[in-house]
Amino acid sequence: MKRVWAIGLLFALVAFAAVKAEDELDVDGVVEEDFGKSRDASRTDDEVVQREEEAIQLDGLNAAQIKEIREKSEKHVFQAEVNRMMKLIINSLYKNKEIFLRELISNASDALDKIRLLSLTNDEAMASNEELTIKIKSDKEKNMLHITDTGVGMTKEDLVKNLGTIAKSGTSEFLNKMSDMQTEDQSTSELIGQFGVGFYSAFLIADKVIVTSKHNNDTQHIWESDSNSFSVIEDPRGDTLGRGTTITLVLKEEASDYLELETIKNLVKKYSQFINFPIYVWASKTETVEEPIEEDAEATEEPEKDAAEEEAEVEEEEEEDKEKPKTKKVEKTVWDWELMNDIKPIWQRPAKEVEEDEYKAFYKTFSKDSEDPLAHIHFTAEGEVTFRSILFIPTAAPRGLFDEYGSKKNDYIKLFVRRVFITDDFNDMMPKYLNFVKGVVDSDDLPLNVSRETLQQHKLLKVIRKKLVRKSLDMIKKIAEAQYNEKFWKEFGTNIKLGVIEDHSNRTRLAKLLRFQTSNSDTEVASLEQYVERMKEKQDKIYFMAGTSRKEAESSPFVERLLKKGYEVIYLTEPVDEYCIQALPEFDGKRFQNVAKEGVKFDESDKTKEKREALEKEYEPLTTWLKDKALKDMIEKAVVSQRLTNSPCALVASQYGWSGNMERIMKAQAYQTGKDISTNYYASQKKTLEINPKHPLIKKMLNTVKDESEDQTASDLAVVLFETATLRSGYQLADTKAYGERIERMLRLSMNVALEEQIEEEPEEEPEEEDPAEDDSEDKEEEEEIVDDDDEEETTKFDKTEL
């Protein structure tokens, strides 16, 4: 019995020693997976510790170090209204979550700029690390994204101060001030600290943000926050960075897409491809490599050879094997740092140093256009705002250039602030008519960390817009004349005409860029400057005629006398042309004259004037009769014309009325309802009937009116002439049916067909009766077909049963 008791005591001592050993292991932070697990809805302190350990998962930190961080880190509670701050960031400053990467890369670039600046005066500033880079690494397993820079870094004091700026207000004063300044369209950037709102945009996609930083004047520290509070502690791993900062984002569940390599690469290229410092992404690629082949000892039968020859061959083979080992090609996935921003911002260099090929290559890269640009301009603007820019004109107009004109946002001008892409989503970065100009604008004076909505209203942006327009017009003006007429005007002529209508401040500049077809040439277009140079000595107006085509315009009765006298006439053949000229009151001191309207007068001698006045007096009976009797309520007045040569008469609009071309355009508007007061006013205005005293019809009519003013044939002829003049002048007839009937009446009279003679009516055909016998035969045929079908079915069944 004593022996059994002794054995039991021995086992108890061994068990006690084992438990003590396990307790010693626990000091190092190694915990059994199943030990202390909560059961039946109970929780243990060990589980809390485990959840805290999972909060920080940085490379090189073991459980004991994490426990030390938890116990010894300095805890700071955000005193400001963090929820309100985050709401402000999400709703007011940032509408697009993806900009978090742009902001963090911008901060990294600033840190690199600072250390480079310090190195100019302090040789030891970059001693710990000569490299100036930004590196981005995705860790899908741990759901983390790391952004590392070798910049100036931050001390412990910097981490507390700079990353706690928003919290340091202590009250809601900061948020109120920010809201007030946004309401007044003022920049809020001066309220934000070194990282400021840009840094806090990381919380849009991250549950936790961990900042590890090493400054030359301090040890390496870790800053961690969940947006409610933050903690700072010295890094137990020691100096792992050398110098710089690593921002680690523990991503939210819905933000996992930002761990994908393609997403990261696209965001870097979109926002940060022109950062001065190289940006690398930890990426994989498939490479074909050669690996040595492991040779197995195999017995091979060879034909017998002479001993001497065999020995010589063996020696040669051995030497070759030593020099060239046997290899095979194998595809392997290789991970390495891939450079993202190899395109350099050429706008930062002086224009004299940039080659023409560089401009072309840069244009194709950023615009995704396969053709070379038609023209470009590279400039630096100084004054109220300083910025650098390169603008390009594409060779061909973009597809759908006028689709949704005015409402479609212009995304061809890309705005950068200190080489960081901000946006290309602007309504009015450039005026609508210059929506084909592509380019980049880079300014150091604009705030970097505000939203595109706030930036849109920034007062400096209006200054930039004004200068961009001036430079764009200068660029267009410098295009060679032949290239301008042949390429630019064919592609973008309508844009320039719209610019004359829309841009009052640059109307004079735009007028010099206009080109039109004229009577001077059948093929070449002419500028207004060229027209003025060719004007006659005493010509004081620029004559133009509008129509649907050149043929219609040059065959109009309004240009007959002008062309005969040698005056040059501009032909407006596009719908926008007449609007354009109406918006341009004069050019080089010469006013425009629509030859389809009143006011066309020629320089005449006293003798010519006397003849004209005599003709007017001679035809006064006819003009009075037309106005008061034959065409009463149809015309404003009838006058003797100075502009007609071959046509008997023409219908002329008043100086402020619609020409025939304009009336046609206005009535063809998509939203024309007929209820617009101004439209109805212009459409109902009476016109002036001008008669040609040299025309035989007009002479005959004068004689008829003198003999018998009540003659019905003369009245009918007057109405037909009026309606014909209406059509030839480009207007529409109010009653086309009546016009047709009058023409038919005149044709009957001229062909001696009685007016009362009616049209011969065709006799009505009687419907044919169907033969009932035929119907019966058709029914029988249908029955026979049905019977045949039944027979076929029975035969098929019979065959199947036999089988």
Side-chain angles (χ1 to χ4, degrees), residues 750-767:
S750 64
M751 298 176 69
N752 296 321
V753 177
L755 297 176
E756 297 80 13
E757 188 174 341
Q758 298 296 319
I759 300 171
E760 183 180 346
E761 295 184 2
E762 293 183 7
E764 293 185 4
E765 294 183 2
E766 295 182 2

Side-chain angles (χ1 to χ4, degrees), residues 604-640:
E604 56 186 2
S605 62
D606 294 338
K607 189 176 180 181
T608 306
K609 187 177 182 181
E610 288 176 5
K611 284 183 178 180
R612 178 177 57 80
E613 290 174 351
L615 277 173
E616 288 175 354
K617 190 172 182 180
E618 180 185 352
Y619 279 85
E620 188 174 350
L622 178 58
T623 55
T624 304
W625 177 77
L626 288 170
K627 179 184 181 301
D628 296 338
K629 289 188 178 182
L631 302 177
K632 187 179 180 180
D633 298 329
M634 295 184 187
I635 60 173
E636 181 68 26
K637 59 184 176 180
V639 297
V640 175

Side-chain angles (χ1 to χ4, degrees), residues 220-251:
Q220 186 167 305
H221 283 78
I222 295 176
W223 180 98
E224 181 196 2
S225 175
D226 60 357
S227 82
N228 295 316
S229 62
F230 66 91
S231 60
V232 182
I233 189 173
E234 186 174 341
D235 195 336
R237 296 170 299 179
D239 182 4
T240 60
L241 294 174
R243 185 196 67 251
T245 302
T246 295
I247 297 176
T248 300
L249 309 179
V250 183
L251 298 192

Side-chain angles (χ1 to χ4, degrees), residues 225-462:
S225 175
D226 60 357
S227 82
N228 295 316
S229 62
F230 66 91
S231 60
V232 182
I233 189 173
E234 186 174 341
D235 195 336
R237 296 170 299 179
D239 182 4
T240 60
L241 294 174
R243 185 196 67 251
T245 302
T246 295
I247 297 176
T248 300
L249 309 179
V250 183
L251 298 192
K252 296 178 180 179
E253 186 177 348
E254 66 271 17
S256 59
D257 184 52
Y258 295 110
L259 293 172
E260 299 294 332
L261 283 177
E262 284 304 313
T263 303
I264 296 170
K265 288 180 180 180
N266 290 337
L267 289 180
V268 172
K269 288 180 179 178
K270 179 178 179 180
Y271 290 111
S272 307
Q273 64 174 327
F274 297 116
I275 291 289
N276 275 343
F277 303 98
I279 302 173
Y280 294 96
V281 171
W282 186 249
S284 64
K285 58 182 178 180
T286 304
E287 289 185 351
T288 303
V289 296
E290 292 190 353
E291 289 187 349
I293 300 174
E294 294 181 2
E295 294 182 2
D296 297 328
E298 295 180 356
T300 57
E301 294 182 0
E302 296 180 357
E304 293 183 0
K305 297 181 180 179
D306 295 340
E309 288 180 1
E310 284 184 1
E311 287 177 5
E313 285 179 4
V314 168
E315 286 177 4
E316 288 176 5
E317 285 176 2
E318 286 178 356
E319 288 177 3
E320 287 177 3
D321 289 343
K322 289 178 182 178
E323 292 175 2
K324 297 180 181 180
K326 293 182 180 179
T327 59
K328 63 178 179 179
K329 291 184 178 180
V330 179
E331 286 191 353
K332 278 192 172 183
T333 301
V334 180
W335 288 84
D336 200 358
W337 293 109
E338 184 179 341
L339 182 63
M340 290 288 103
N341 56 337
D342 52 346
I343 304 170
K344 299 303 177 186
I346 63 172
W347 64 81
Q348 293 289 329
R349 293 157 54 190
K352 295 179 181 178
E353 296 179 6
V354 184
E355 299 292 334
E356 190 69 24
D357 290 340
E358 291 182 90
Y359 284 120
K360 292 177 181 178
F362 174 75
Y363 168 77
K364 290 178 180 178
T365 301
F366 96 92
S367 70
K368 307 296 185 293
D369 195 345
S370 58
E371 296 184 29
D372 292 338
L374 185 63
H376 71 267
I377 188 168
H378 183 181
F379 64 95
T380 301
E382 296 178 346
E384 189 176 352
V385 60
T386 301
F387 67 91
R388 295 179 176 86
S389 177
I390 302 179
L391 301 177
F392 297 91
I393 296 175
T395 301
R399 187 175 297 175
L401 186 63
F402 295 105
D403 292 349
E404 302 175 27
Y405 180 76
S407 60
K408 189 177 181 181
K409 293 180 180 178
N410 184 359
D411 58 356
Y412 291 142
I413 301 295
K414 302 188 183 299
L415 178 65
F416 293 79
V417 175
R418 295 186 286 280
R419 295 165 303 285
V420 177
F421 175 71
I422 300 300
T423 183
D424 57 6
D425 186 8
F426 277 113
N427 285 324
D428 54 0
M429 185 66 171
M430 289 285 268
K432 293 180 290 184
Y433 69 92
L434 289 177
N435 59 357
F436 60 90
V437 177
K438 301 181 180 182
V440 295
V441 177
D442 189 356
S443 174
D444 291 345
D445 296 339
L446 290 170
L448 178 63
N449 44 9
V450 292
S451 70
R452 68 188 66 184
E453 289 83 5
T454 306
L455 194 61
Q456 189 100 335
Q457 306 300 325
H458 203 281
K459 60 181 181 179
L460 293 181
L461 209 61
K462 296 176 181 177

Side-chain angles (χ1 to χ4, degrees), residues 474-717:
D474 288 344
M475 169 175 56
I476 296 170
K477 185 180 177 182
K478 291 176 182 177
I479 299 175
E481 182 72 14
Q483 193 177 29
Y484 183 91
N485 295 342
E486 183 64 29
K487 292 184 179 180
F488 178 85
W489 187 253
K490 287 182 178 179
E491 296 290 335
F492 307 109
T494 303
N495 293 76
I496 302 300
K497 294 170 187 175
L498 290 170
V500 172
I501 299 169
E502 298 169 3
D503 193 350
H504 302 279
S505 59
N506 291 296
R507 187 167 286 163
T508 304
R509 293 182 179 86
L510 287 161
K512 294 178 180 178
L513 301 174
L514 291 172
R515 298 290 186 274
F516 296 106
Q517 296 184 60
T518 74
S519 57
N520 184 67
S521 172
D522 293 334
T523 55
E524 298 294 327
V525 292
S527 67
L528 294 177
E529 286 178 311
Q530 292 169 336
Y531 180 96
V532 172
E533 289 174 4
R534 294 193 292 258
M535 284 175 65
K536 286 182 172 291
E537 187 176 346
K538 294 184 179 181
Q539 183 182 345
D540 61 348
K541 292 183 179 178
I542 300 172
Y543 297 114
F544 68 90
M545 177 63 205
T548 56
S549 64
R550 180 188 174 106
K551 185 178 181 180
E552 180 186 323
E554 64 186 0
S555 61
S556 170
F558 299 116
V559 300
E560 292 173 356
R561 180 63 61 86
L562 289 164
L563 297 179
K564 188 174 181 180
K565 284 181 169 290
Y567 288 96
E568 186 175 358
V569 179
I570 295 173
Y571 298 133
L572 307 183
T573 57
E574 293 185 10
V576 73
D577 288 353
E578 197 166 349
Y579 286 105
C580 174
I581 296 298
Q582 285 181 357
L584 194 64
E586 63 177 26
F587 180 83
D588 198 16
K590 309 291 184 182
R591 298 189 68 81
F592 290 89
Q593 173 63 55
N594 189 337
V595 298
K597 293 184 179 182
E598 292 178 341
V600 177
K601 294 179 181 178
F602 302 102
D603 183 55
E604 56 186 2
S605 62
D606 294 338
K607 189 176 180 181
T608 306
K609 187 177 182 181
E610 288 176 5
K611 284 183 178 180
R612 178 177 57 80
E613 290 174 351
L615 277 173
E616 288 175 354
K617 190 172 182 180
E618 180 185 352
Y619 279 85
E620 188 174 350
L622 178 58
T623 55
T624 304
W625 177 77
L626 288 170
K627 179 184 181 301
D628 296 338
K629 289 188 178 182
L631 302 177
K632 187 179 180 180
D633 298 329
M634 295 184 187
I635 60 173
E636 181 68 26
K637 59 184 176 180
V639 297
V640 175
S641 178
Q642 294 185 57
R643 71 183 92 200
L644 299 178
T645 302
N646 300 320
S647 303
C649 56
L651 206 58
V652 180
S654 65
Q655 193 63 39
Y656 300 100
W658 280 346
S659 66
N661 183 66
M662 181 59 75
E663 182 181 85
R664 181 170 54 247
I665 292 170
M666 294 304 296
K667 288 185 176 181
Q669 295 297 316
Y671 300 104
Q672 178 61 251
T673 61
K675 297 178 181 179
D676 184 53
I677 297 174
S678 62
T679 302
N680 291 337
Y681 169 75
Y682 284 113
S684 62
Q685 277 191 335
K686 294 177 182 178
K687 316 303 191 289
T688 298
L689 182 68
E690 290 192 1
I691 58 173
N692 181 3
K694 305 292 185 184
H695 199 281
L697 280 175
I698 301 300
K699 288 181 179 181
K700 179 65 176 176
M701 187 178 290
L702 175 62
N703 295 330
T704 305
V705 170
K706 282 181 179 180
D707 295 340
E708 188 179 351
S709 61
E710 300 298 329
D711 184 48
Q712 184 60 38
T713 304
S715 296
D716 288 347
L717 178 62

